[in-house]
Amino acid sequence: MNKNIYMQIYNDYSAQVQSGSLSTGQKLPSENELAGAYRTSRETVRKALHMLSENGYIHKIKGKGSFVLDTQRMSFPVSGLVTFKEVSERLGRSVRTIVYENDCVPSTAEIRRCLQLKEPGPVWKVVRAREIEGEKIILDKDYFLTTYVPSLSLEAATNSIYEYLEQKLNLPISYAKKEISVEEVTPEDKLLLDLHDYQHIVVVRNYVYLVDTTLFQYTESRHRLDKFQFVDFARRVKN
Amino acid sequence: MNKNIYMQIYNDYSAQVQSGSLSTGQKLPSENELAGAYRTSRETVRKALHMLSENGYIHKIKGKGSFVLDTQRMSFPVSGLVTFKEVSERLGRSVRTIVYENDCVPSTAEIRRCLQLKEPGPVWKVVRAREIEGEKIILDKDYFLTTYVPSLSLEAATNSIYEYLEQKLNLPISYAKKEISVEEVTPEDKLLLDLHDYQHIVVVRNYVYLVDTTLFQYTESRHRLDKFQFVDFARRVKN
DNA sequence: GATTCTATCTTGTATATACAGGTTGTCAAA
DNA sequence: TTTGACAACCTGTATATACAAGATAGAATC
């Protein structure tokens, strides 16, 4: 885990900021001090601080130093790929996952388009509802390339698929693209979720890529309107 | 604009990827070749390539090289702060901005909470509707600290406020936090937008910070359900 | 022919150094 | 007291170098 020095510094400080043991606005040690403390060079420290800055943990001011940002208010993912399990654990609510489907199915034209498949063939399909405080709020529909995910146990589907993919199958996940939009509810939504009388639903389409840039997973996450929230942290890039 | 070498490289290649003059999957010159071409060091090239990678333009593979990613499909902001003007220009649709309000008003408790103001005082308020293809789709409500934005011309409000703030007032914008949620429509929404019969509306709350970490702007962007889309690019951070 | 080894290319990590330029406090001069 | 010069410290940019480690093609070996 701590193979790289700059990763170790990043992990140390991101943990401290998240746990609140460093308070908002507090000044970090200077780059030279950190270099001394970790017995490394200033450039290595700078790499860690740059990552912390990119991910919204700290803020650097030229001539002054690095300062802790307010992450308390960022309740949801600061950015990046965060799983339902991680989020719900952070929220500390009573959550439950109901697996409706978990098997190998022939791919429809729609799914082939999403997974950029040219030829017909099977895909692994998982349909799950997420129950929060007794209400089924989110419908997750996952599709995997059978090349990478030949099968999936019910246990893995009930817990965290990501954990299984990364730790057991050792799949090198690299990046993902999210699309958020609002669409009309389908009969399936009404059947599998506790929708009340909402006519629309928030759809988050997630395209997950491996390090070799192959698209291997497509996820459709359908959230009930009133329970949906998404938080994004963005830095201004000067032109 | 080209003060920094790495920024020049970044701008060169991000432009080439966006314009499509570099096609998806194409290999970039190696870091050493680029260093030679720009008469600079490999570390400087690496800084530029890292930025391109962070922003979803390219993908680096250890031992192989850097490859152009598919940005065509990422129709909306790849990430970061993108203004309505920039987006609409890219879409090439007929768009129009209607300014409903543009003046200095006393702050309400709600606004003080959003702008983290402790004491009562005036704020600069701008309310605008965005018309796309003849329909008023988006309602933008902007609130600025009068310390930084004492007044705003009708012309600046009609065009791009960001352009005015950054280029005329020279305000050093650093980062922003976005919150996306869905809420019930208000009477004001019904009055100022072409809402049809939608009962809900997508609300994007935008908190904009300066480099000294002061929150100076709060924007509420209210989108009609059927026209809302948000795209996010995220890289996996290993722990 | 199939396999292994190796040379060489690539990117990733780490170090040392230099100078530019923003920030702050001190101390002397006006 | 106020002002200005300056030193000390901070981050930002750039360069040179070294070695680790993944990828690949071709030579050597079995």
Side-chain angles (χ1 to χ4, degrees):
Chain A
M1 226 50 126
N2 295 328
K3 213 179 65 181
N4 301 336
I5 304 174
Y6 75 87
M7 264 300 178
Q8 194 191 322
I9 303 177
Y10 173 83
N11 287 332
D12 283 0
Y13 277 90
S14 62
Q16 283 184 63
V17 172
Q18 272 189 317
S19 73
S21 68
L22 286 171
S23 52
T24 301
Q26 195 170 335
K27 187 178 178 300
L28 263 55
S30 78
E31 294 175 352
N32 283 318
E33 285 169 344
L34 282 171
Y38 281 88
R39 296 174 189 280
T40 182
S41 67
R42 194 182 143 218
E43 277 303 314
T44 301
V45 171
R46 280 178 61 73
K47 207 180 284 188
L49 293 182
H50 182 254
M51 281 181 68
L52 288 166
S53 159
E54 282 289 308
N55 291 317
Y57 290 110
I58 66 167
H59 184 252
K60 310 188 83 201
I61 305 179
K62 186 174 179 176
K64 294 185 78 171
S66 303
F67 302 87
V68 176
L69 280 178
D70 186 5
T71 53
Q72 292 294 84
R73 308 189 68 212
M74 307 198 186
S75 47
F76 238 69
V78 172
S79 117
L81 315 174
V82 179
T83 65
F84 177 75
K85 197 188 167 198
E86 287 166 18
V87 171
S88 55
E89 276 173 359
R90 201 185 301 174
L91 290 176
R93 295 205 192 131
S94 96
V95 292
R96 197 162 70 96
T97 296
I98 299 138
V99 180
Y100 286 121
E101 191 176 344
N102 181 42
D103 48 21
C104 194
V105 298
S107 58
T108 63
E110 168 73 7
I111 296 306
R112 281 199 295 280
R113 193 181 52 76
C114 289
L115 279 172
Q116 295 177 1
L117 286 174
K118 300 228 169 60
E119 298 149 29
V123 292
W124 192 271
K125 181 179 180 182
V126 183
V127 179
R128 297 174 291 175
R130 312 298 202 161
E131 195 179 86
I132 303 175
E133 305 280 314
E135 280 192 308
K136 292 189 278 295
I137 299 292
I138 306 169
L139 185 66
D140 275 349
K141 297 166 75 172
D142 294 76
Y143 301 91
F144 301 91
L145 289 193
T146 46
T147 326
Y148 297 99
V149 186
S151 80
L152 207 61
S153 72
L154 185 65
E155 191 224 336
T158 310
N159 293 305
S160 176
I161 293 187
Y162 263 91
E163 235 171 68
Y164 176 74
L165 296 179
E166 288 213 300
Q167 290 172 20
K168 294 283 157 39
L169 293 187
N170 235 334
L171 281 179
I173 293 169
S174 170
Y175 60 94
K177 201 179 72 171
K178 277 191 178 72
E179 288 174 6
I180 304 175
S181 60
V182 182
E183 300 176 10
E184 290 183 10
V185 295
T186 64
E188 188 187 36
D189 295 331
K190 286 183 190 169
L191 198 67
L192 303 182
L193 293 178
D194 296 321
L195 270 190
H196 300 327
D197 283 331
Y198 293 114
Q199 292 305 306
H200 292 85
I201 195 160
V202 179
V203 181
V204 181
R205 298 196 159 77
N206 207 18
Y207 302 86
V208 186
Y209 295 79
L210 301 177
V211 294
D212 61 2
T213 74
T214 54
L215 174 61
F216 96 106
Q217 178 191 5
Y218 166 71
T219 299
E220 213 175 281
S221 216
R222 306 173 75 85
H223 299 245
R224 204 173 79 189
L225 283 189
D226 59 326
K227 295 293 182 184
F228 174 77
Q229 205 202 2
F230 179 80
V231 178
D232 184 54
F233 177 84
R235 234 161 238 294
R236 179 78 174 160
V237 179
K238 295 251 180 66
N239 287 320
Chain B
M1 226 52 128
N2 294 329
K3 211 179 65 180
N4 300 337
I5 303 174
Y6 75 86
M7 263 299 178
Q8 193 190 324
I9 303 177
Y10 174 83
N11 288 330
D12 284 0
Y13 277 89
S14 63
Q16 282 184 66
V17 172
Q18 271 188 316
S19 73
S21 67
L22 286 171
S23 50
T24 301
Q26 195 170 335
K27 187 178 177 300
L28 262 55
S30 78
E31 294 175 352
N32 283 318
E33 285 169 344
L34 283 172
Y38 281 90
R39 297 173 188 281
T40 183
S41 67
R42 192 183 144 217
E43 277 303 315
T44 302
V45 170
R46 280 179 61 73
K47 206 180 286 190
L49 292 182
H50 181 253
M51 280 181 68
L52 288 166
S53 160
E54 281 288 308
N55 292 316
Y57 290 111
I58 67 166
H59 184 252
K60 309 188 84 203
I61 305 179
K62 186 174 180 176
K64 293 186 80 172
S66 302
F67 302 87
V68 176
L69 280 178
D70 186 5
T71 53
Q72 292 294 85
R73 309 189 66 212
M74 306 197 186
S75 48
F76 240 67
V78 171
S79 114
L81 314 173
V82 179
T83 66
F84 177 76
K85 197 188 168 197
E86 287 167 17
V87 171
S88 55
E89 275 172 0
R90 201 186 301 174
L91 290 175
R93 294 207 191 129
S94 96
V95 292
R96 197 162 69 95
T97 297
I98 299 137
V99 180
Y100 286 122
E101 191 176 344
N102 182 42
D103 48 22
C104 195
V105 299
S107 59
T108 65
E110 168 73 7
I111 296 307
R112 280 201 296 280
R113 194 181 53 75
C114 289
L115 278 172
Q116 294 176 1
L117 286 174
K118 299 226 169 62
E119 298 148 30
V123 292
W124 192 271
K125 180 179 182 184
V126 183
V127 179
R128 298 173 292 176
R130 313 297 204 162
E131 195 181 87
I132 302 175
E133 306 277 316
E135 280 192 310
K136 292 190 279 293
I137 299 292
I138 306 170
L139 185 66
D140 276 349
K141 298 165 74 173
D142 293 78
Y143 301 91
F144 301 92
L145 288 193
T146 47
T147 326
Y148 297 100
V149 186
S151 80
L152 207 59
S153 72
L154 186 65
E155 192 224 335
T158 310
N159 292 305
S160 176
I161 292 186
Y162 263 92
E163 234 170 69
Y164 176 76
L165 295 179
E166 287 213 302
Q167 290 171 20
K168 294 282 157 43
L169 292 188
N170 236 333
L171 281 179
I173 292 168
S174 169
Y175 61 93
K177 202 180 73 174
K178 277 191 179 70
E179 289 175 7
I180 303 175
S181 59
V182 182
E183 301 177 9
E184 290 184 12
V185 295
T186 65
E188 186 187 37
D189 295 331
K190 287 183 188 168
L191 198 67
L192 303 182
L193 294 178
D194 296 321
L195 270 190
H196 301 328
D197 282 331
Y198 295 114
Q199 293 304 306
H200 292 85
I201 194 160
V202 179
V203 181
V204 181
R205 297 196 160 77
N206 207 18
Y207 303 86
V208 185
Y209 295 80
L210 301 178
V211 294
D212 61 2
T213 74
T214 54
L215 174 60
F216 95 107
Q217 179 192 4
Y218 167 70
T219 299
E220 212 175 284
S221 218
R222 305 174 75 87
H223 300 244
R224 204 174 81 190
L225 283 187
D226 59 325
K227 295 293 183 184
F228 174 77
Q229 206 203 2
F230 180 81
V231 178
D232 184 54
F233 176 85
R235 230 161 242 295
R236 180 78 174 160
V237 179
K238 297 253 180 65
N239 288 321

